[in-house]
Amino acid sequence: PPPRRGVCVSESREPCGGEAAEDARRGAEEPGGAAGRVAGEVREGAELFCDDEDDDPLHDIEKWRYPKGVGREEAVKQLLKVIEEYIPGQSGVDGGGFEVTNRNERGDGYVWAQFESEKNGFIDDVEFLVEEGGTVCVRSASRLGYLDMGVNAKRLNWIAGGLRALGWEAPDITTRTHFEYFDPFNFRRSPSVL
């Protein structure tokens, strides 16, 4: 299938990041050819969590927000600190560890990390674009396969929890917010049974 656009958008449905996101995409190596930047091309079926240009309840999440009074530079530092404290193997995911491959090198708020599964060495790309004004675009995508068995949600929920402890707004991904993600084959017919 043709690649699908995975673009983070603002509440006004405008692409987030602008030139900074574009520059970040051009400036970093393509992670395994499977994923783009926060606002870039991803192949069909990759699990991604960001405000997508399509109305896609399976993949969309709200932008995260850092606290008022915290500037973008400090927000990036807080985000990196929480990522660096991440525990490989938490909730049974990412037992192979992780590496932060872009730490806002260009000063544009872009952070990219790669997380590895323990058994098969599968790599997932996790990207953040910390914007001026308090918002953060978030994307977590498996490079291979269509189903991820909840791995991307567990990872983002762990990171979100660490950021909420610092005053951020970063809601968890749950069966109530993303029923189709957790039940992609619609085995359970109604979210009310969860």
Side-chain angles (χ1 to χ4, degrees), residues 79-96:
L79 173 63
L80 285 168
K81 182 178 185 304
V82 169
I83 293 170
E84 289 164 357
E85 292 172 350
Y86 185 81
I87 301 168
Q90 62 82 27
S91 298
V93 301
D94 303 324

Side-chain angles (χ1 to χ4, degrees), residues 24 27 37 186:
R37 302 285 138 262
N186 203 19

Side-chain angles (χ1 to χ4, degrees), residues 95-142:
F98 70 95
E99 177 184 4
V100 179
T101 54
N102 187 318
R103 298 172 173 271
N104 189 36
E105 277 86 11
R106 297 174 141 215
D108 57 6
Y110 178 70
V111 175
W112 168 30
Q114 298 174 357
F115 292 79
E116 183 176 345
S117 68
E118 185 171 24
K119 289 185 181 177
N120 298 315
F122 296 128
I123 302 293
D124 292 348
D125 296 293
V126 181
E127 298 173 284
F128 303 91
L129 185 61
V130 180
E131 301 176 300
E132 294 289 349
T135 59
V136 180
C137 294
V138 180
R139 177 177 173 273
S140 184
S142 302

Side-chain angles (χ1 to χ4, degrees), residues 4 6 34-37 42-50 52 56-61 123-127 138-156 173 178-185:
R4 175 166 112 171
R37 302 285 138 262
V42 294
R43 62 180 182 71
E44 184 66 35
E47 297 292 339
L48 67 130
F49 283 106
C50 70
D52 197 334
D56 183 358
L58 180 62
H59 299 100
D60 288 356
I61 64 169
I123 302 293
D124 292 348
D125 296 293
V126 181
E127 298 173 284
V138 180
R139 177 177 173 273
S140 184
S142 302
R143 288 187 184 177
L144 296 173
Y146 184 77
L147 302 176
D148 74 346
M149 309 309 284
V151 168
N152 286 293
K154 289 175 184 178
R155 177 185 308 115
L156 287 181
I173 300 159
H178 289 81
F179 174 72
E180 291 179 11
Y181 167 75
F182 289 101
D183 189 20
F185 297 116

Side-chain angles (χ1 to χ4, degrees), residues 4 14 17 23-24 26 32 41 45 51 55 60 62 65 72 83 105 111 132-134 137 141-142 163 175 178 187 194:
R4 175 166 112 171
E14 293 296 317
D23 289 343
R26 284 192 292 265
E41 298 293 330
D51 274 340
D55 184 19
D60 288 356
E62 298 175 31
R65 297 185 178 279
R72 181 167 85 172
I83 293 170
E105 277 86 11
V111 175
E132 294 289 349
C137 294
S142 302
L163 292 171
T175 55
H178 289 81
F187 291 126
L194 300 175

